[in-house]
Amino acid sequence: MLLTKEAFGEDFIWGVSTAAYQIEGAHNIHGKGLSIWDVFVQKRNKIFQNHNGDIACDFYNRYTEDLYLMYRLNIRNYRFSISWSRILPDGTGEINPSGIDFYNRLIDLSLELGITPWVTLYHWDLPHTLDKKGGWLNRDIKEWFGHYVAICVTHFGDRVKNWMVLNEPTVFCATGYFFGVHAPGKKGIDYFLAATHHAALAQAHGARIIKSIQNDNTVGTTFSCSYVEPFTTREKDIVAAKKADVLLNRLLIEPLLGMGYPTSEIKILKRIEKYIKQNDEKDLKFDMDFIGIQNYTREIIRHATFVPYLQAKIVSAKDRKVTTTAMNWEVYPEAMYQMLKKFSAYQNIPPLTITENGAAFPDRVENNMVDDPKRIQYLQDTLEQVLRAKQEGVNVKGYFVWTFLDNFEWAEGYQPRFGLVYVNFQNQQRIVKSSGNWYANFIK
Ligand code: BGC
């Protein structure tokens, strides 16, 4: 297969993705309120070497040079997220004019450079004030979120035409409310189920609000997904893999498509009904214009008697002795093909766009250059799988690399580097990696 940009067709969208908390820094200036991440990073031993996103890539102050760099690398679509607490320091109530001003400047300069903005409304940085009222555990979040979305669309919707409501709801509900390893650090099955239902409600509600303000907008939302396979062909492992598939791939897309929650494989999930009110099921459904797929790897699952609720566990890539990235995720590009096939098999599924894909490797600076052949290989191999799916008829419209700049990788701090551009966090110097030049050339 000849991998060229042309093979994907003229309309195929090529871009890069970032998220506010991971790059902006400027965490407490110009009227910004605290987010749950600003608070979570202050707790000891939650984040690798107690790193935090206070400064991150200082994108808030350096967005001009970063956008020019993006332009020079031929990138014409930029997915970024808006920090809710920069717009509404308390989550609701007073608008912070400096926050509006920052995103206005970012959007205007992008457009001036011919870069189309793709805006995610929520990439995990909930205003801390709302967390104090329960955050995603409080059903009122549907209205709080709707109010914030309306403000964003009213202020930016004249120029922003592509919106994504949530970033990976399953991930922030699981890591933030079940495992407690991400903000706000809560642990428990009931927290997880409540957060999941409220996120699903907010997702459809947010999309409705965007459309009600501007009907010509393109509206989507994004889902994490991993290709799941059983460890052996034993029945028990197959059952375990099916359960993992529900959690990793099906839990949030199915209610959105009007299929309800997939509760039949995992008994405990039925408990979500506790949080469901009359009419909710109908409200969970929304016809998105596109679905964002975010895939990085596959997971091998085996039966595990002692794992509560699931009796299933991931067989780590390390134990399987396969090639991994710096996240210890298996390098398995075919996962992308499998996920495109899986999602496109749903009835009434809208077109798919790959809103994130990429890899962290231990990059090193030598002679002021960063040579990262493994990342180039990863991107090429994954794109081949995207093309394979496309040629088999999957309606996939675009591909965004995660990510533009090395950044704050949540609980892993600054250690894993995912960027096409290397960032020296001591002096904020940017160095385009070989992969950045490769991508620039590929999408030219
Ligand atoms: C998230 C990003 C994250 C990336 C790599 C995705 O789950 O949306 O914020 O940095 O994966 O871990």
Side-chain angles (χ1 to χ4, degrees), residues 37 41 48 50 65 102-103 124 159 206 210 228 292 296 331 342 418:
W37 272 93
V41 293
F48 175 79
N50 296 308
E65 63 173 273
F102 170 64
Y103 292 106
W124 305 357
R159 289 151 296 152
I210 303 173
V228 169
Y296 290 86
V331 174
K342 183 180 173 76
F418 272 90

Side-chain angles (χ1 to χ4, degrees), residues 19 22 123-124 167-168 171 294 296 327 329 356 402 407 409-410 418:
Q22 293 179 274
H123 200 128
W124 305 357
N167 183 71
E168 300 188 348
V171 174
Q294 313 196 153
Y296 290 86
M327 298 291 281
W329 296 342
E356 281 184 26
W402 183 268
N407 63 24
E409 177 53 39
W410 309 114
F418 272 90

Side-chain angles (χ1 to χ4, degrees), residues 2 5 8 37 53 74 102 155 184 205-206 219 231 237 244 272 274 300 305 322 331 348 363 379 410 426 428 430:
L2 189 61
K5 178 196 175 196
F8 289 81
W37 272 93
N74 302 324
F102 170 64
H155 282 85
H205 183 59
V219 181
F231 185 53
D237 286 342
I272 203 167
K274 238 172 49 186
I300 302 293
T305 313
V322 290
V331 174
N348 308 325
D363 301 312
L379 296 174
W410 309 114
Q426 253 66 57
Q428 293 295 341
R430 274 71 165 143

Side-chain angles (χ1 to χ4, degrees), residues 388-399:
R388 178 180 164 208
K390 192 169 171 13
Q391 287 175 346
E392 286 176 24
V394 171
N395 193 358
V396 51
K397 300 267 195 207
Y399 176 88

